Amino acid sequence: MLRLTDGSSIEVDERSVVGVGARGHDMTVTVANGAVIVQAAKRTSGHLYVRTPDCRVAVTGTIFSVDSGLKGSRVAVLQGSVHVLHAGIDTLTTAGNQVTTNDNLSREPVSETDSLEPRSR
């Protein structure tokens, strides 16, 4: 579990490769490979971004998961909404929904994303 200076918390899967950086009022969590569940704090300025090799997720005050692997990325929203930028297209995704960056990446019920139990990538 990571706690960020803005009050956000990140649950990191044990086999994940993750980095954290800040620039101005923005914070970026990079998920090179693996899975995270993010509980983003409400922010008065700036954004929290989660970046994978093929997409960027922008949020303020929400709960969502990001799973990044060889086939692509899956973003599932548990509460609130997120903006997922992939291939130049910005998609607003709301609670109970998910976005995948590859049509061949199987969808999972959003209810199964509330913990980082081992699952296929």
Side-chain angles (χ1 to χ4, degrees), residues 26 101 105:
D26 296 333
T101 61
L105 192 61

Side-chain angles (χ1 to χ4, degrees), residues 4-118:
L4 304 181
T5 57
D6 70 349
S8 297
S9 61
I10 316 282
E11 184 180 348
V12 181
D13 187 27
E14 64 186 29
R15 297 173 306 274
S16 300
V17 179
V18 175
V20 178
R23 178 179 231 169
H25 294 286
D26 296 333
M27 213 166 235
T28 301
V29 176
T30 303
V31 182
N33 187 34
V36 296
I37 295 176
V38 179
Q39 185 168 354
K42 294 195 183 291
R43 301 172 66 103
T44 57
S45 63
H47 285 88
L48 173 63
Y49 297 102
V50 176
R51 190 176 295 277
T52 71
D54 63 351
C55 75
R56 184 191 76 180
V57 183
V59 300
T60 25
T62 191
I63 301 173
F64 64 101
S65 68
V66 177
D67 193 341
S68 177
L70 295 175
K71 294 179 184 178
S73 299
R74 177 185 303 109
V75 178
V77 182
L78 297 155
Q79 285 182 10
S81 61
V82 301
H83 286 270
V84 180
L85 181 63
H86 167 66
I89 299 170
D90 187 353
T91 305
L92 178 65
T93 307
T94 57
N97 295 300
Q98 64 183 277
V99 172
T100 59
T101 61
N102 182 333
D103 291 337
N104 295 324
L105 192 61
S106 64
R107 290 177 136 352
E108 292 182 352
V110 173
S111 61
E112 292 182 14
T113 64
D114 61 358
S115 69
L116 289 175
E117 295 302 317

